[in-house]
Every structure is written in C-alpha cells, then in structure tokens.
Amino acid sequence: MARLRPKPHSTPDDIAFGINAVSMAIATGHAKSVLFYRETSNDRVLALAERAREAGLRVEGVEARRLDELTGDGVHQGILARVRPVEPIDLKAAARQAGQRSLVLLLDRVTDPQNVGAILRTAVAVGADAVVLPLRRGALITPGVHRASAGLSFVAPVAAPQNLAMAVRTLKEANYWVVAADAGEGSAAATEFDWPGRTALIVGSEGEGVGQLLLRESDFRVALPMDPRVESLNVAVATGALAYLWRRQHPFPAQASGG
C-alpha cells in the first residue's frame, strides 16, 4: 500500500489528530483507521488505539516522525485518525425543526481554523441549532478545526450554503431575527440588548468585521461594551460572549440544564 507523502508542513484534509479529536471521531463513527506512536507510554493513547480495534478499525503503530509528517508537525499527542468528511446539515430543515428559542451562528470571513474550531465548540456548548460556514468563504472543516474544537466539529450542526446572503434569506423566511456583531456607531450594547428568541447571529473576522451587504440585511447590530484601551476581541471569544448573552435570556429547558 503506497504511503501518502504530503508536502512539508502540510496536512491531508482527511485527518483528525490529538486525543480528544480522535476520541470523538471514533465515538461518532467518522474514523476509518488510526495511527499511533508505537513507543508511547500514554495510557490515553493506548486506550484509544484499543477502542479503535474493538470498533473494527485498522490500527497501526508508527514512528513519531510519521505522525509529524502527516500532521505538518502539529501537536498530535501521539495519535491520529483518517476520517470521513463531516456531512453538512440542511439549514432550511434545521430552522423548520427548531423551537421558539433557537440560535444560529453565521461566520462571515472567519478563516482561521483555531477560531472556527473554538466557535464550533461554543456552538455545541450553548446548544446552537446551526453554524453556517459558507462554501465559498471562510474555513471548512479541516484537521486544525477538528483539533481546535476538541473533536466537537464531528457533532456540531454545521450548514454549508453557497453564501451567507442565501442563508440569511432562508433564516428570515423561518422567522429568525438577524443580529450582526458590529462595533460601529449605532450598535446596541449586547449586554442590554433584548435578544429575540429566534436569533441568527452574524460574526465577522477580527480585522474586517461583518461585510456591508450582511450588515444591510441585519435587523439589529450589537457590540460588546469594552474598556477603551481594548480595540477588539478575538472573534471566537466575542462569539462565545454573545452566544451566552443570548442563552442567559433564553435558558436551557430545566431538564437539559445539566444542573
């Protein structure tokens, strides 16, 4: 069997690496095979390899150099999995099935895998019904996203329409109010904002923010109040704060609160 030889410091798209990401890939049925450092003494890695064998997956012990090559010298913790692609959800169906308290996150030009992964992790934690990653803009689900989300990218409800404008129209037709995160003049303080039960929250890149077309399509604009010495927040941090401001006003049902 010929071995894949990626370019230096590149990572094949069909890989998830790191203990949490591989564990979730196995648990969700996305893993196809597993490679691990053959001389590892890490009990968690060894347990994962055994779990993969019990699940009927091909498991192979390899040299650390092989894992370094495949992950582009990423922090693989001694294990990686070949994975099936994450299938996007149908946004229209998700919106139709959502209740009166529903949050959808739309990512405009958010391309950094660390940020996308962190936002997907937040989306699962806060109970968002969808995260919209347009096919033509922003990051898709990559190995870096799997890693940054601690594997929650395998369970996050990701929708991938052709563009965000189309997604916004779909959500408006489903009775969502569109809220854009925007630090410009005239934005309401997010901490005092009366968050709609069905909110479609658009966040943009730290450098460029939400695009003008989407700002015009928005029903409201909100900004996080900040000390004037802070110019902006990382988009993943800001998204987490905004998502939980929405959730504070629209709590989880008692049976799903975990408390």
Side-chain angles (χ1 to χ4, degrees), residues 10-193:
S10 69
T11 308
D13 288 338
D14 67 337
I15 276 178
F17 59 89
I19 291 171
N20 289 330
V22 172
S23 177
M24 192 62 76
I26 294 171
T28 59
H30 284 88
K32 297 189 293 185
S33 62
V34 169
L35 300 182
F36 73 101
Y37 175 42
R38 63 162 61 105
E39 295 180 27
T40 188
S41 58
N42 187 318
D43 289 339
R44 293 177 68 196
V45 170
L46 293 170
L48 265 183
E50 183 57 31
R51 240 177 76 197
R53 288 192 189 95
E54 290 172 356
L57 303 179
R58 179 174 172 270
V59 178
E60 181 182 358
V62 298
E63 296 179 2
R65 183 183 59 180
R66 177 66 176 147
L67 299 178
D68 293 338
E69 288 173 355
L70 286 171
T71 61
D73 292 322
V75 185
H76 50 68
Q77 300 178 294
I79 193 163
L80 66 80
R82 296 279 191 178
V83 297
R84 298 179 179 84
V86 175
E87 293 297 326
I89 66 168
D90 184 316
L91 182 60
K92 187 177 290 188
R96 187 171 58 247
Q97 293 164 12
Q100 290 307 304
R101 296 175 177 181
S102 175
L103 178 67
V104 173
L105 303 175
L106 299 97
L107 278 56
D108 182 28
R109 295 173 292 186
V110 179
T111 58
D112 180 73
Q114 293 296 317
N115 285 330
V116 175
I119 290 171
L120 292 182
R121 191 172 184 177
T122 294
V124 175
V126 79
D129 284 302
V131 181
V132 182
L133 297 176
L135 289 176
R136 293 178 181 172
R137 302 173 77 180
L140 298 177
I141 305 299
T142 64
V145 172
H146 290 314
R147 169 76 177 162
S149 70
L152 289 168
S153 47
F154 290 111
V155 297
V158 173
Q162 289 299 316
N163 58 68
L164 285 183
M166 181 185 301
V168 166
R169 286 193 294 272
T170 296
L171 291 167
K172 282 187 170 183
E173 289 169 2
N175 297 318
Y176 281 79
W177 294 92
V178 180
V179 180
D182 178 52
E185 249 182 81
S187 292
T191 48
E192 299 173 11
F193 181 61

